[in-house]
Amino acid sequence: MVGPEKGVWERADLAPDAVCIDCGGKAVVPGFVDPHTHAVFAGTREGELAMKLRGATYLDILSSGGGILRTVRETRPLDVLSLTRELERHLDIMMAYGTTCAEVKSGYGLTTESELDLLKAVRASNHPVERVATFMGPHAVPPEYSGRSEDFLELMTSLLPTIKEQGLADFADIFCEKGVFTPEQSRRFLTAAKDAGLGTKIHSDEIENLGGTVLGAGLGAKSADHLLVSGEKDLLALEASGTVPVLLPATLLTLFEEKIPPVKRMLELGLPIALATDLNPNCMCHSMQFVMALACYRLRMTPHQVLAASTVNAAKAIGLDHRKGRLAPGFDADLLVLKEGSFDHVVYQMGTNHVDTVIIGGRCQLSGVRH
Ligand code: NIG
Ligand code: FE
């Protein structure tokens, strides 16, 4: 329930085990929603940092069998239980930094069995952070399908009805990028996903603008993510379709990318910008607070815009805006007590944890969090 303190202990609808948490002097905000993560994977890729510092680009590393493909090699041998444990480890850190709901994509299996196992792990993980699962089989073309991306895409497309029937995913996503999947392939895959009854998302305009954003918007995708090199027609397409632009400022850092997405224009158009960590082995960022600071200092978003982008808009990007992202009657009681009296501190003081208490579904999960 949400309402005045007076008379609250006398209310007939008060839960019998209700406890009083004194938040005197501390700000209370909705739990952070992280609407774009690849949080189910094995291994790490810290070695690529040196390659990037020597000038290798993301696509250079990928085309030489590293990047996503390296993580695929490390992820494939794991069974559902081990994948579940890996995911839970990440969810623990995310929750300590205030994330109470997260989207998690598959995409490091790239075989029928392994992709289904990744999705099963998202569903099976026993964790207070609520998960939305996204099937991202078309994340990269695995080496055994080298030069045969059509055949691989066909295989991934053929899994969509089973994934829907078994309730393994809520959304389907594809990496529409030069050297990965073309807009035409993306159109076919996302159309099949829609036909199977799944929601859709697209990774678009991250490195090259191939038209993926216009395509996603035209298909009624729930979100289009990255959008670094989006132009006016892409933004107008998002405005017309209500597709949520999801920005990933930590990814820009990890790519040593100095450009920024067209945030100013997005805000002028009133687009509901959402922020996300993009947690993956290339962008090892669990903290929405870190992303929020980057959004302010690099993308020039105000603390107010940043808070909306990490709660109500982020919930919209995963289709949960009817019950997540707001402190309001009828919404899930996912909330954070901060250490300070105003949210502005979260973006202002970088690199420390401003969350004191995490409450998910009305239950206190963590309290007195230290830095
Ligand atoms: O969103 N761009 C594609 N996928 C991820 C990166 C995955 C990886 O490098 O392992 C992203 O940034
Ligand atoms: Fe991503």
Side-chain angles (χ1 to χ4, degrees):
M1 71 178 78
V2 175
E5 186 180 347
K6 199 168 176 303
V8 75
W9 293 101
E10 285 77 51
R11 282 180 59 150
D13 56 350
L14 192 71
D17 56 348
V19 292
C20 176
I21 301 174
D22 183 358
C23 308
K26 296 172 181 172
V28 176
V29 295
F32 304 142
V33 175
D34 188 345
H36 180 142
T37 84
H38 305 251
V40 58
F41 61 86
T44 54
R45 303 216 303 262
E46 65 286 357
E48 287 174 11
L49 191 48
M51 294 166 74
K52 286 191 271 184
L53 283 166
R54 284 196 298 269
T57 66
Y58 184 81
L59 293 181
D60 290 340
I61 296 172
L62 182 61
S63 60
S64 66
I68 296 175
L69 298 176
R70 181 192 163 107
T71 304
V72 168
R73 286 193 295 279
E74 295 188 74
T75 303
R76 279 181 177 172
L78 271 60
D79 61 12
V80 177
L81 187 62
S82 315
L83 292 169
T84 305
R85 291 215 182 100
E86 289 300 304
L87 173 59
E88 287 169 356
R89 234 162 34 82
H90 293 300
L91 293 171
D92 280 346
I93 309 174
M94 292 158 74
M95 183 169 76
Y97 284 86
T99 296
T100 55
C101 175
E103 185 251 19
V104 182
K105 302 175 198 294
S106 71
Y108 291 114
L110 312 186
T111 63
T112 299
E113 195 195 350
S114 188
E115 281 299 310
L116 297 181
D117 282 356
L118 287 160
L119 293 173
K120 285 177 193 161
V122 178
R123 292 293 194 224
S125 49
N126 180 13
H127 202 280
V129 171
E130 187 169 331
R131 279 99 46 213
V132 161
T134 297
F135 170 54
M136 196 175 177
H139 192 197
V141 179
E144 61 276 19
Y145 279 88
S146 179
R148 292 194 295 132
S149 75
E150 275 300 315
D151 294 345
F152 177 67
L153 190 73
E154 206 175 292
L155 175 67
M156 292 297 113
T157 307
S158 74
L159 302 181
L160 290 164
T162 310
I163 288 170
K164 176 65 188 176
E165 273 155 35
Q166 296 186 9
L168 291 176
D170 310 290
F171 291 96
D173 194 348
I174 185 164
F175 191 12
C176 180
E177 188 56 67
K178 191 172 164 208
V180 194
F181 295 99
T182 65
E184 171 51 26
Q185 290 176 319
S186 306
R187 190 188 57 71
R188 269 187 275 129
F189 176 73
L190 295 179
T191 304
K194 254 174 89 169
D195 292 347
L198 292 166
T200 54
K201 291 173 164 283
I202 188 163
H203 279 60
S204 57
D205 300 345
E206 177 179 4
I207 300 165
E208 301 235 350
N209 188 328
L210 304 181
T213 303
V214 171
L215 174 90
L219 291 172
K222 191 54 96 179
S223 74
D225 305 39
H226 284 289
L227 310 180
L228 178 64
V229 292
S230 298
E232 183 71 5
K233 77 172 181 333
D234 305 304
L235 305 193
L236 293 177
L238 295 176
E239 184 188 28
S241 65
T243 300
V244 176
V246 178
L247 303 183
L248 310 166
T251 308
L252 300 178
L253 270 194
T254 65
L255 298 176
F256 294 91
E257 178 56 70
E258 281 166 21
K259 288 195 289 291
I260 65 163
V263 176
K264 192 160 168 267
R265 185 66 184 133
M266 288 179 182
L267 292 169
E268 272 167 19
L269 289 170
L271 301 185
I273 296 176
L275 290 165
T277 60
D278 195 18
L279 170 63
N280 70 67
N282 178 61
C283 177
M284 220 36 160
C285 173
H286 298 79
S287 167
M288 284 296 287
Q289 295 179 56
F290 179 65
V291 166
M292 290 177 194
L294 289 176
C296 176
Y297 289 114
R298 287 225 53 219
L299 308 188
R300 306 189 80 92
M301 291 171 69
T302 65
H304 188 87
Q305 289 162 346
V306 161
L307 179 59
S310 309
T311 53
V312 55
N313 295 350
K316 193 171 159 67
I318 52 173
L320 291 183
D321 46 326
H322 55 291
R323 63 180 177 88
K324 299 277 182 203
R326 286 179 197 270
L327 301 181
F331 278 61
D332 294 352
D334 296 351
L335 45 105
L336 308 173
V337 182
L338 302 180
K339 289 176 182 148
E340 296 93 358
S342 119
F343 170 77
D344 291 10
H345 287 272
V346 173
V347 287
Y348 161 67
Q349 183 181 318
M350 293 170 284
T352 56
N353 193 350
H354 297 268
V355 169
D356 175 84
T357 300
V358 179
I359 296 168
I360 305 182
R363 306 238 161 252
C364 184
Q365 303 295 342
L366 289 172
S367 78
V369 176
R370 302 254 175 143
H371 303 290

Tab-separated table of all heavy atoms in Angstrom, residues 36 38 45 58 68 108 139 175 203 206 226 251 278 280-282, ligand 1:
chain	number	residue	atom	x	y	z
A	36	HIS	N	18.293	-4.434	-20.175
A	36	HIS	CA	19.117	-5.035	-21.241
A	36	HIS	C	20.372	-5.614	-20.606
A	36	HIS	O	21.307	-4.887	-20.267
A	36	HIS	CB	19.484	-3.949	-22.274
A	36	HIS	CG	20.334	-4.420	-23.427
A	36	HIS	ND1	20.162	-3.950	-24.713
A	36	HIS	CD2	21.381	-5.275	-23.495
A	36	HIS	CE1	21.050	-4.506	-25.524
A	36	HIS	NE2	21.817	-5.313	-24.793
A	38	HIS	N	23.029	-9.346	-20.728
A	38	HIS	CA	23.364	-10.677	-21.258
A	38	HIS	C	23.980	-11.430	-20.078
A	38	HIS	O	25.115	-11.879	-20.127
A	38	HIS	CB	24.382	-10.577	-22.390
A	38	HIS	CG	23.985	-9.673	-23.524
A	38	HIS	ND1	23.631	-10.150	-24.759
A	38	HIS	CD2	23.894	-8.313	-23.620
A	38	HIS	CE1	23.349	-9.131	-25.571
A	38	HIS	NE2	23.504	-8.008	-24.906
A	45	ARG	N	36.478	-11.815	-20.051
A	45	ARG	CA	37.292	-11.494	-21.241
A	45	ARG	C	38.218	-10.311	-20.975
A	45	ARG	O	38.402	-9.453	-21.839
A	45	ARG	CB	36.361	-11.197	-22.425
A	45	ARG	CG	35.390	-12.320	-22.772
A	45	ARG	CD	35.148	-12.429	-24.259
A	45	ARG	NE	34.663	-11.208	-24.858
A	45	ARG	CZ	33.377	-10.939	-25.120
A	45	ARG	NH1	32.435	-11.816	-24.848
A	45	ARG	NH2	33.050	-9.801	-25.683
A	58	TYR	N	35.893	-3.799	-31.851
A	58	TYR	CA	34.972	-4.856	-31.409
A	58	TYR	C	34.771	-5.895	-32.518
A	58	TYR	O	34.838	-7.100	-32.275
A	58	TYR	CB	33.636	-4.205	-31.012
A	58	TYR	CG	32.642	-5.183	-30.463
A	58	TYR	CD1	32.709	-5.601	-29.146
A	58	TYR	CD2	31.640	-5.712	-31.273
A	58	TYR	CE1	31.809	-6.526	-28.638
A	58	TYR	CE2	30.733	-6.630	-30.780
A	58	TYR	CZ	30.822	-7.033	-29.460
A	58	TYR	OH	29.934	-7.947	-28.970
A	68	ILE	N	32.225	-12.428	-28.529
A	68	ILE	CA	31.075	-13.288	-28.249
A	68	ILE	C	31.459	-14.762	-28.458
A	68	ILE	O	31.088	-15.628	-27.674
A	68	ILE	CB	29.885	-12.915	-29.169
A	68	ILE	CG1	29.398	-11.488	-28.875
A	68	ILE	CG2	28.737	-13.911	-29.021
A	68	ILE	CD1	28.300	-10.995	-29.806
A	108	TYR	N	24.759	-16.950	-25.821
A	108	TYR	CA	26.128	-17.457	-25.748
A	108	TYR	C	26.157	-18.985	-25.881
A	108	TYR	O	27.128	-19.622	-25.482
A	108	TYR	CB	26.800	-17.018	-24.445
A	108	TYR	CG	27.072	-15.531	-24.376
A	108	TYR	CD1	26.413	-14.719	-23.459
A	108	TYR	CD2	27.985	-14.936	-25.252
A	108	TYR	CE1	26.664	-13.358	-23.405
A	108	TYR	CE2	28.234	-13.576	-25.210
A	108	TYR	CZ	27.573	-12.799	-24.284
A	108	TYR	OH	27.825	-11.452	-24.238
A	139	HIS	N	22.766	-13.892	-32.069
A	139	HIS	CA	23.659	-12.939	-31.390
A	139	HIS	C	24.967	-12.860	-32.173
A	139	HIS	O	25.625	-11.831	-32.215
A	139	HIS	CB	23.902	-13.450	-29.954
A	139	HIS	CG	24.563	-12.470	-29.044
A	139	HIS	ND1	25.163	-12.848	-27.870
A	139	HIS	CD2	24.725	-11.127	-29.114
A	139	HIS	CE1	25.659	-11.787	-27.266
A	139	HIS	NE2	25.416	-10.731	-28.003
A	175	PHE	N	20.994	-9.248	-33.235
A	175	PHE	CA	22.084	-8.274	-33.379
A	175	PHE	C	22.146	-7.873	-34.853
A	175	PHE	O	22.722	-8.582	-35.680
A	175	PHE	CB	23.392	-8.927	-32.921
A	175	PHE	CG	24.570	-7.988	-32.753
A	175	PHE	CD1	24.427	-6.607	-32.761
A	175	PHE	CD2	25.850	-8.506	-32.551
A	175	PHE	CE1	25.528	-5.768	-32.589
A	175	PHE	CE2	26.958	-7.677	-32.376
A	175	PHE	CZ	26.795	-6.304	-32.404
A	203	HIS	N	18.970	-5.098	-31.407
A	203	HIS	CA	20.234	-4.377	-31.201
A	203	HIS	C	20.496	-3.645	-32.515
A	203	HIS	O	20.801	-4.294	-33.520
A	203	HIS	CB	21.389	-5.351	-30.980
A	203	HIS	CG	21.510	-5.903	-29.603
A	203	HIS	ND1	20.535	-6.623	-28.986
A	203	HIS	CD2	22.540	-5.839	-28.710
A	203	HIS	CE1	20.951	-6.986	-27.776
A	203	HIS	NE2	22.164	-6.527	-27.592
A	206	GLU	N	24.446	0.239	-33.441
A	206	GLU	CA	25.525	0.296	-32.448
A	206	GLU	C	26.826	0.762	-33.107
A	206	GLU	O	27.537	1.602	-32.579
A	206	GLU	CB	25.749	-1.088	-31.796
A	206	GLU	CG	26.918	-1.063	-30.813
A	206	GLU	CD	27.185	-2.387	-30.112
A	206	GLU	OE1	26.519	-3.381	-30.434
A	206	GLU	OE2	28.072	-2.415	-29.237
A	226	HIS	N	20.932	0.355	-28.098
A	226	HIS	CA	22.252	0.917	-28.491
A	226	HIS	C	22.057	2.301	-29.102
A	226	HIS	O	22.351	3.301	-28.462
A	226	HIS	CB	23.058	0.007	-29.437
A	226	HIS	CG	23.694	-1.159	-28.746
A	226	HIS	ND1	24.748	-1.023	-27.887
A	226	HIS	CD2	23.419	-2.484	-28.784
A	226	HIS	CE1	25.100	-2.219	-27.428
A	226	HIS	NE2	24.295	-3.110	-27.955
A	251	THR	N	28.595	0.489	-22.248
A	251	THR	CA	29.116	-0.179	-23.447
A	251	THR	C	30.000	0.782	-24.237
A	251	THR	O	31.055	0.400	-24.747
A	251	THR	CB	27.945	-0.653	-24.326
A	251	THR	OG1	27.078	-1.394	-23.503
A	251	THR	CG2	28.405	-1.495	-25.491
A	278	ASP	N	23.707	-3.410	-19.986
A	278	ASP	CA	24.221	-4.278	-21.057
A	278	ASP	C	25.189	-5.308	-20.472
A	278	ASP	O	26.056	-5.805	-21.189
A	278	ASP	CB	24.908	-3.463	-22.159
A	278	ASP	CG	25.129	-4.251	-23.445
A	278	ASP	OD1	24.472	-5.297	-23.621
A	278	ASP	OD2	25.962	-3.836	-24.269
A	280	ASN	N	27.592	-7.893	-19.837
A	280	ASN	CA	28.069	-9.013	-20.672
A	280	ASN	C	29.582	-9.075	-20.498
A	280	ASN	O	30.161	-8.179	-19.888
A	280	ASN	CB	27.622	-8.804	-22.133
A	280	ASN	CG	28.331	-7.661	-22.834
A	280	ASN	OD1	29.531	-7.725	-23.089
A	280	ASN	ND2	27.602	-6.597	-23.144
A	281	PRO	N	30.251	-10.110	-21.007
A	281	PRO	CA	31.691	-10.222	-20.717
A	281	PRO	C	32.552	-9.147	-21.383
A	281	PRO	O	33.730	-9.013	-21.052
A	281	PRO	CB	32.063	-11.607	-21.256
A	281	PRO	CG	30.784	-12.278	-21.566
A	281	PRO	CD	29.735	-11.263	-21.738
A	282	ASN	N	31.956	-8.387	-22.307
A	282	ASN	CA	32.679	-7.249	-22.886
A	282	ASN	C	32.447	-5.991	-22.054
A	282	ASN	O	33.267	-5.080	-22.059
A	282	ASN	CB	32.195	-7.001	-24.321
A	282	ASN	CG	32.868	-5.797	-24.962
A	282	ASN	OD1	34.085	-5.790	-25.114
A	282	ASN	ND2	32.103	-4.783	-25.305
B	1	NIG	O1	24.942	-5.646	-26.572
B	1	NIG	N1	26.246	-6.146	-29.313
B	1	NIG	C1	26.033	-7.329	-29.084
B	1	NIG	N2	25.994	-7.919	-27.918
B	1	NIG	C2	26.502	-7.390	-26.717
B	1	NIG	C3	27.948	-7.677	-26.542
B	1	NIG	C4	28.199	-9.104	-26.287
B	1	NIG	C5	29.641	-9.505	-26.113
B	1	NIG	O2	30.562	-8.801	-26.584
B	1	NIG	O3	29.849	-10.560	-25.495
B	1	NIG	C6	26.128	-5.922	-26.578
B	1	NIG	O4	26.990	-5.054	-26.429
